[in-house]
Amino acid sequence: MVTTIGILGAGRVGSAIARTALKAGYAVHIAGSGPAADIELIVDIVIPGAVPMTAAEVAASSDLVVLAVPMHKFRSVDPATLAGRIVIDTMNYWQPIDGELDEIAADPRGSSEVVADYFADARLVKTLNHIGYHDLETDARPAGHPERHALAIAGDADAAAVVAEVINRFGFDPVLAGPLASGVAFEPGSPVFGGRHTAAELAAELEPAEAA
Amino acid sequence: MEIGAYSFGDTPLNPDGSPRSTAEGIRNLFDAIVVADKAGLDYFGIGEHHTVSMPASSPGALISAAAAATGQIILGSAASVISTDDPVRVFQQLATADAISGGGRVEITAGRGSSVETFPLFGYDLADYDRLYAEKLDLLMTINDSATENVTWSGTVRPTLDDLAVVPRPVAGRLPIWLATGGNAASSARAGKLGLPVSYGIIGGEPHRFAPLTELYRRSAAQAGHTENIKVSVATFGLVAPTKKEALERFYPGWHSLNVEMGRLRGWGAPDRRQFDAQAAAPGAYYVGDPDDVAERIVHLHGYLGHMRHFLQGDFGGLPTEHLHESLTLLATEVKPRVARLLAAK
Ligand SMILES: NC(=O)c1ccc[n+]([C@@H]2O[C@H](COP(=O)([O-])OP(=O)(O)OC[C@H]3O[C@@H](n4cnc5c(N)ncnc54)[C@H](OP(=O)(O)O)[C@@H]3O)[C@@H](O)[C@H]2O)c1
């Protein structure tokens, strides 16, 4: 069972996910690119309750790790530290922020599959990428609420099931899209990206991808 | 509390939706600043943008013109994208406007820009994003803090200045320099550490959730020993009309076309009206309403952020100029006194 969520990246997305996880009752370990002391004050005020650490310490001490670094920096995360772990990939390739990343742009596969090649020994799951970081905190609703939104999850079935429970506790209906390759269906540019959907609406949007 | 407006320029549209000339967008912006000054608005910011729909590429030039044509309003860049500009030129242009204004009415807000169209335009590499910003901010502050015309600075992103004159000096010795941020915690901490006033651009979500960031800013400043000049300003979307209904109907078409344009760039789906209505109601991020509504919401936010200036952007997607002028006038004549009254009653 997941009790501690580790987050790599203490930026907008990392902080919003950290607060959401704390609210859901998880312990949260978080790191920026540098030493823990660099983000101590930030964490203390902006993410009270989370524990600042180095990235390696976060990876070693958490049941599940969330990658919330800019896409153009994912190679600065040491893949050895994530071997064997369930890792949520929240990253989107967005050219205006990331610049030209040929390895993503030129690869016909989804960005998470490219990322998964690099973190070869991790169990990568794609989710939390198609919701804005503001909305993550304002849109969370208890299970069964009529306005509850859904989030898509792509990854191998066992890892995706673990992540689905986390998404549920975060306040969203998890919708399983299939293996990691089906993550293209909720990348930027897809009808799902940035929209708001109930579980039924999201499942309907994702169906063609599943059939393919 | 100071009440103001800001704009990135808004190229008008033909009835068929095609853009008219970008020059018209600039001329309209200049006229709006003059209207705002006459109405008694406190502040007008010009945000550096480089798109056909938002053509305010040169805040320094526009602010110089506005400085000559206005009498009381504070004018500032909001923001200058200093990462891809030369801080020497940014400073000189705004210091020139300051001289023309008679002194004390011109400010610089330094930012890195939320979209990065300036990188290809001016030939910079996005890989240097962080270093360009940090060094150029340091150079801008070094010039501003210099006791004489002559400045010495060295770094890696532009040639060394070895005791070279950077003129004119601002009338009051220095220009107010603000740091712009969109809500990244590290930027709030940086502003505090540097002892610079901070300007939050809040374009979505619930603005009062920025409270921890302002606390982080103030604590970072206190830790670094900065006590003076620790100020917060807030920039949001917003438009004021005689009634809330009119404000919503005036603002929505521009918001819609902005979001269609942004969505194309960022891969979002079509904007939806429900989303818009949620943001335009308390505690959302769009200050679109009648004077009572907007004033109450500014004061509510003040309870969380303690900001000393709130300024609104309402002109995008081809907002008719008469609606912009009415909003600027209502902000100055109706919203501002209500805000003052509500704050005094607290
Ligand atoms: N904008 C959205 O609403 C949204 C929604 C979903 C997903 N996303 C995705 O989320 C990701 C993060 O975006 P953001 O807006 O949060 O970026 P951000 O505000 O720039 O934050 C990025 C964070 O990552 C940290 N970092 C960089 N390299 C690291 C490393 N090797 N180990 C640990 N931390 C590292 C940075 O720390 P330093 O400051 O120390 O470098 C910073 O704290 C992006 O890939 C984006 O596409 C965005």
Side-chain angles (χ1 to χ4, degrees):
Chain A
M1 220 187 56
V2 175
T3 56
T4 302
I5 294 183
I7 297 175
L8 300 181
R12 284 162 291 222
V13 173
S15 318
I17 293 175
R19 284 189 295 266
T20 305
L22 286 163
K23 222 171 168 183
Y26 294 104
V28 172
H29 297 173
I30 188 163
S33 62
D38 283 5
I39 58 166
E40 240 161 47
L41 185 63
I42 291 180
V43 170
D44 189 28
I45 300 175
V46 178
I47 322 168
V51 186
M53 299 181 173
T54 63
E57 288 164 351
V58 164
S61 63
S62 310
D63 304 317
L64 179 153
V65 177
V66 179
L67 261 182
V69 309
M71 183 67 93
H72 63 273
K73 289 192 174 153
F74 77 82
R75 283 179 190 278
S76 67
V77 176
D78 178 0
T81 60
L82 297 179
R85 312 221 152 239
I86 298 179
V87 175
I88 293 180
D89 176 15
T90 70
M91 299 183 296
N92 294 310
Y93 171 46
W94 189 40
Q95 193 270 342
I97 287 280
D98 294 309
E100 290 299 337
L101 293 182
D102 270 346
E103 60 171 332
I104 309 252
D107 197 310
R109 298 174 302 164
S111 68
S112 287
E113 291 165 275
V114 178
V115 171
D117 284 351
Y118 176 70
F119 296 104
D121 297 323
R123 300 161 72 194
L124 207 72
V125 175
K126 184 183 191 72
T127 189
L128 290 171
N129 72 301
H130 68 85
I131 180 168
Y133 64 95
H134 293 301
D135 304 332
L136 189 65
E137 294 188 84
T138 53
D139 291 4
R141 296 285 183 277
H145 192 287
E147 280 167 26
R148 201 182 210 220
H149 296 150
L151 294 177
I153 299 174
D156 81 69
D158 292 347
V162 173
V163 170
E165 176 49 23
V166 171
I167 294 298
N168 184 35
R169 276 178 62 184
F170 277 12
F172 298 87
D173 284 335
V175 173
L176 299 174
L180 198 57
S182 46
V184 284
F186 48 97
E187 286 193 346
S190 69
V192 169
F193 190 78
R196 289 173 162 83
H197 310 82
T198 62
E201 288 164 354
L202 184 57
E205 287 283 3
L206 294 172
E207 219 157 66
E210 242 174 343
Chain B
M1 162 104 73
E2 293 180 8
I3 301 294
Y6 72 107
S7 174
F8 302 156
D10 180 19
T11 299
L13 301 177
N14 291 311
D16 70 354
S18 60
R20 296 170 64 85
S21 78
T22 43
E24 262 180 273
I26 296 299
R27 178 69 214 191
N28 288 349
L29 178 48
F30 172 81
D31 291 341
I33 300 172
V34 173
V35 167
D37 178 62
K38 286 213 180 84
L41 205 65
D42 294 315
Y43 171 81
F44 209 113
I46 310 293
E48 179 180 341
H49 262 63
H50 300 264
T51 62
V52 171
S53 60
M54 297 178 161
S57 64
S58 312
L62 198 47
I63 289 172
S64 277
T70 55
Q72 59 84 26
I73 197 165
I74 297 170
L75 301 164
S77 57
S80 299
V81 184
I82 56 162
S83 322
T84 51
D85 205 340
D86 182 351
V88 175
R89 290 305 273 163
V90 173
F91 182 85
Q92 290 174 328
Q93 286 153 5
L94 278 299
T96 298
D98 178 67
I100 291 169
S101 80
R105 285 206 288 130
V106 172
E107 302 183 344
I108 298 175
T109 295
R112 30 181 148 193
S114 59
S115 41
V116 284
E117 67 252 359
T118 60
F119 281 79
L121 186 59
F122 297 117
Y124 288 95
D125 186 346
L126 263 179
D128 298 329
Y129 187 80
D130 292 325
R131 189 163 54 109
L132 281 168
Y133 185 61
E135 285 198 19
K136 292 198 174 187
L137 182 60
D138 180 61
L139 172 55
L140 183 67
M141 291 177 68
T142 300
I143 298 168
N144 199 37
D145 290 341
S146 180
T148 69
E149 277 78 5
N150 286 29
V151 176
T152 297
W153 181 89
S154 68
T156 64
V157 299
R158 58 147 285 145
T160 295
L161 293 177
D162 186 7
D163 200 30
L164 294 178
V166 177
V167 290
R169 289 302 302 175
V171 176
R174 291 175 187 195
L175 296 175
I177 294 182
W178 295 72
L179 210 65
T181 163
N184 188 324
S187 301
S188 291
R190 182 203 304 250
K193 221 180 265 174
L194 293 172
L196 294 176
V198 70
S199 184
Y200 290 99
I202 309 182
I203 57 169
E206 296 175 351
H208 68 270
R209 290 177 189 265
F210 273 59
L213 293 174
T214 59
E215 191 193 337
L216 173 62
Y217 164 64
R218 293 189 174 100
R219 286 244 306 257
S220 302
Q223 268 189 7
H226 298 295
T227 51
E228 272 165 50
N229 211 23
I230 299 306
K231 298 188 287 195
V232 171
S233 73
V234 172
T236 61
F237 288 167
L239 191 77
V240 187
T243 66
K244 174 131 188 160
K245 190 161 175 291
E246 284 165 294
L248 291 170
E249 293 320 312
R250 289 174 184 187
F251 187 77
Y252 181 73
W255 177 87
H256 187 268
S257 50
L258 175 73
N259 276 271
V260 168
E261 184 179 337
M262 301 270 283
R264 223 179 294 125
L265 286 171
R266 301 192 181 190
W268 298 330
D272 84 66
R273 177 78 202 212
R274 276 177 311 173
Q275 209 178 314
F276 171 79
D277 287 333
Q279 281 289 319
Y286 305 165
Y287 290 69
V288 178
D290 59 48
D292 281 319
D293 177 42
V294 171
E296 275 159 26
R297 289 174 58 197
I298 289 173
V299 170
H300 173 260
L301 186 62
H302 178 269
Y304 288 86
L305 307 188
H307 54 313
M308 52 71 67
R309 172 187 293 164
H310 194 124
F311 52 117
L312 302 179
Q313 180 190 26
D315 58 330
F316 38 67
L319 183 79
T321 52
E322 65 270 22
H323 293 166
L324 177 61
H325 293 182
E326 186 167 30
S327 178
L328 295 168
T329 304
L330 289 172
L331 271 172
T333 60
E334 301 294 332
V335 174
K336 184 178 156 65
R338 281 170 170 76
V339 168
R341 214 159 41 232
L342 290 168
L343 286 176
K346 262 195 170 177

